[in-house]
Amino acid sequence: MKNYIKHDEWRVIESGFHAEYNEITESLMSLGNGKMGHRGNFEERYTGKTLQGNYVAGVWFPDKTRVGWWKNGYPDYFAKVINSVNWIGIDIEIDGEIVDLGKCEILDFYRELHMQHGHLMRFCKLRLQNGKEIRIESIRFCSITHDEIGHVDYEVTPVNFDGLIKITPYLDGNVQNRDANYDEHFWEEISKKSEGKRAFLQVKTKENKFGVDRFDLAVGMDLSICLGGHAREVDFETVQSEKYIGLTFSVFAQKSQTIRIVKKVAVHNSTNFFPDYLLAECEKSLTNVADLQMLPLQRAAWKAKWENCDIKIEGDESAQQGIRFNIFHLLQTYTGQDARLNIGPKGFTGEKYGGVTYWDTEAYCIPFYLSAVDFSVARNLLVYRHNHLQKAILNGQKLGFSKGAALYPMVTMNGEECHNEWEITFEEIHRNGAIAYAIYDYINYTGDASYLNQFGLEVLISISRFWSQRITFSENLKKYVMLGVTGPNEYENNVNNNWYTNYIAVWTLKYTLEAIALVKAEQEDYRRIVGNLNFEEAEETERWNEIIGNMHLPYDENREVFLQQDGFLDKELLSVERIRQHRPINQNWSWDRILRSCFIKQADVLQGLFFFEDDFDQETHLRNFDFYEPMTVHESSLSPCVHTVLASKLGKIEKAYEMYVRTSRLDLDDYNNDTEDGLHITSMAGTWMSVVKGFGGMRVKNTKLHLNPILPKNWESLSFRVGLKDNLVEIGINREGIIVKNLSEKEMEFSLFDKEITLAGMDEFVLHTEAA
Ligand code: BGC
């Protein structure tokens, strides 16, 4: 755990340079706007520890798989979010010395990510090796109002000399992925050109043999220069080499006279335009913003974004910073306008994890986007999976399933599986359940059942077909069983009857039957779906019903808990307290030792209780929580949030708070020693759930709001807004009571601690309690 980031309500601050943590800070201070993003790298050269990263949504490369023992059914490629043209770069040269924070003396340093305003600011004072001292100040952002535009406002000031400063803003396509399987460069140059104060570079991903479309990417930059506060015409000289173009100029500055460079950048790619038009589009975009003051626009746009998404916590600055940090990154990673895009586990903050879409989207992110932004965003995330249905069916076929059974990939970019560890690719099939659950979640929350008619039912039937083929009938148990799976807890592989997987499989079958009944009311839609899928309703649903009534769900009669899998009780059951000094076990133990141990990477049975809480009473929750929590090491970022929600529900407020701190400050404090690889974006939605569903006790059942709040002991108050079908609601919880404000004209009904309340439009309800 690190503790060098200053606590502040709205800002992430590094005061004084921590070179040893630079890659962590770069991750924390990443910027994005849904369409592109980059890590918090320096504009000028840096030879110290750094992971330079620029990423463009939807642009990727199918890297050849690297695997020791090839197994039939593996995908041929591993999709990589690729590092793309570095557009932030600005070289500074003084008396032949290139400014490099890794080589000069840092006299003063301050870096700040302003979450309210959506920009990254840096100030530093340096002494070069030649004794010259300069000051650098920069503000950078990815525009929210014009999402193809990046903006760098960079100032350099001589401190102890008058002299010539040579400056080269550039675009550089000579970039690599650190995690490339064969150390390859993924980009080839197509063209470059310069025109006065503008320069352009177009690159294309390399040829691949997997039939994946290649991507073209074009970047243009436009420069304006000021000296001492006045616009200055300079002569630019073009410097170029393979995949690189820069515009060099020199300015004589007197001591304390500031040279300011405003570098506006336009980024376009072939997912939106034909390759031949990309450079012209960049030119158009640069012209479009030429006279705009981008910074005030950015601030106003972020202010509007925060309006209904902010969560306010009083009395605990680190918790406040934590939740805003999580919300900020979620908002800048995915804006939901394009149903071809999804939410990568690292967003625009790093390269680790190939692909962008995991079950994380459905299990963790959908609830955030449902409550905090427009419903269309969550809908687009569901449509994304419908668009990939044919590929999921092909994936099923590849593994030996038939008759339209869909197995969605564990990890994907375009619907094709790109994960190749057999215990995950073939066995972590619970992901299919989360995709079905998200359809339920969306309809339950929004009331938009028409989604089933249009898209949802096709997905549900195809997933149900998969479950009905994946199970086996055990003559021994006289029950259906599911053999050889990996549940959400990846610290057990190839187990039989993972309770969570079996439960969600049965649930999917039941929900599909309900969905069929609903859609059947619209004869025309139903006929179309039956035709599209060759659905033999009577025969197929008969089998589903039989499975529903006869599935083996492992249970321990003595302890009265669900068993994570058939063999779980054969393990030595220990508490994590016993292995405190061994943690994280994934960095300290052999894999074999982990697999044989009882230690649980992430919520598994508890994930099931979280999803299907109304199927179980409070005592069942309590027994299972008390059994599994002490064995959980939370070495997946997705784990603590589920435990916070359950602990809050069970009134275990201290445990809930401990888990909340862990999830909300996971990256800020680098709990798992891996923030340098990038942030845990999808688990950030889990942090949001910890507060809203955990402490806020918020549930939506059939579009109706239910609240059971509980406040951590050290918090004075908590407030947040949620968007419902017909109402925008603000919920405030403090030591004196609970205030629910209906911010819409329409009347609403909700329940508070199981008491039914009707609230007129624009009205508020106050419940006075001593200890809310
Ligand atoms: C977790 C998975 C998750 C993946 C991506 C893994 O560590 O165990 O559940 O889907 O990370 O976030």
Side-chain angles (χ1 to χ4, degrees), residues 513-527:
L513 293 175
E514 278 172 38
I516 289 173
L518 275 175
V519 174
K520 258 185 162 174
E522 298 291 332
Q523 282 296 329
E524 210 176 302
D525 285 338
Y526 191 62
R527 269 198 299 272

Side-chain angles (χ1 to χ4, degrees), residues 345 353 358-360 490 601-602 636 638:
Y353 291 111
Y358 283 69
W359 73 302
D360 307 24
E490 292 175 340
K601 180 182 181 192
Q602 68 198 91
S636 161
L638 301 177

Side-chain angles (χ1 to χ4, degrees), residues 78-79 353-359 385 408-413 415-419 424 431:
F78 195 78
Y353 291 111
V356 288
T357 313
Y358 283 69
W359 73 302
R385 292 293 194 176
Y408 277 92
M410 184 65 190
V411 181
T412 192
M413 277 288 185
E416 282 167 17
E417 177 65 87
C418 60
H419 197 289
I424 293 179
R431 61 201 186 235

Side-chain angles (χ1 to χ4, degrees), residues 689-739:
M689 287 201 280
S690 306
V691 178
V692 173
K693 294 193 172 202
F695 304 129
M698 188 279 272
R699 301 288 188 277
V700 171
K701 296 181 187 171
N702 208 359
T703 74
K704 186 176 150 190
L705 179 69
H706 295 252
L707 295 168
N708 278 291
I710 176 169
L711 206 57
K713 295 210 166 75
N714 55 333
W715 290 9
E716 281 157 26
S717 72
L718 162 68
S719 70
F720 57 89
R721 289 182 177 184
V722 290
L724 300 168
K725 181 167 176 264
D726 297 314
N727 307 87
L728 176 68
V729 187
E730 188 171 294
I731 296 138
I733 306 144
N734 59 35
R735 296 279 148 217
E736 282 76 50
I738 294 148
I739 308 172

Side-chain angles (χ1 to χ4, degrees), residues 46-66:
Y46 184 57
T47 48
K49 206 168 178 278
T50 178
L51 174 64
Q52 194 259 318
N54 280 272
Y55 311 98
V56 179
V59 172
W60 55 281
F61 188 76
D63 202 10
K64 278 194 296 294
T65 294
R66 192 181 187 114

Side-chain angles (χ1 to χ4, degrees), residues 567-630:
F568 194 75
L569 287 184
D570 297 334
K571 296 187 160 190
E572 189 184 4
L573 302 181
L574 299 172
S575 150
V576 290
E577 287 307 314
R578 298 275 296 275
I579 53 153
R580 195 184 282 269
Q581 71 283 12
H582 300 230
R583 292 170 70 186
I585 56 175
N586 63 18
Q587 289 173 18
N588 295 314
W589 282 9
S590 73
W591 189 241
D592 152 72
R593 187 173 178 190
I594 290 177
L595 291 180
R596 282 184 287 113
S597 81
C598 68
F599 298 113
I600 301 171
K601 180 182 181 192
Q602 68 198 91
D604 195 303
V605 167
L606 298 188
Q607 181 81 36
L609 295 183
F610 166 64
F611 274 172
F612 305 111
E613 62 178 349
D614 289 342
D615 295 357
F616 307 100
D617 59 24
Q618 189 84 345
E619 287 70 38
T620 306
H621 278 94
L622 185 62
R623 279 194 307 274
N624 282 278
F625 187 86
D626 286 347
F627 183 64
Y628 285 109
E629 213 290 318

Side-chain angles (χ1 to χ4, degrees), residues 9-12 113-119 298-306 310 324 328:
E9 289 193 356
W10 276 110
R11 296 169 304 167
V12 176
L113 173 73
H114 205 303
M115 301 184 281
Q116 192 174 28
H117 296 155
H119 55 64
Q298 177 79 350
R299 289 185 172 153
W302 267 101
K303 189 164 179 250
K305 256 185 184 294
W306 278 109
D310 191 20
R324 285 196 172 130
F328 174 76

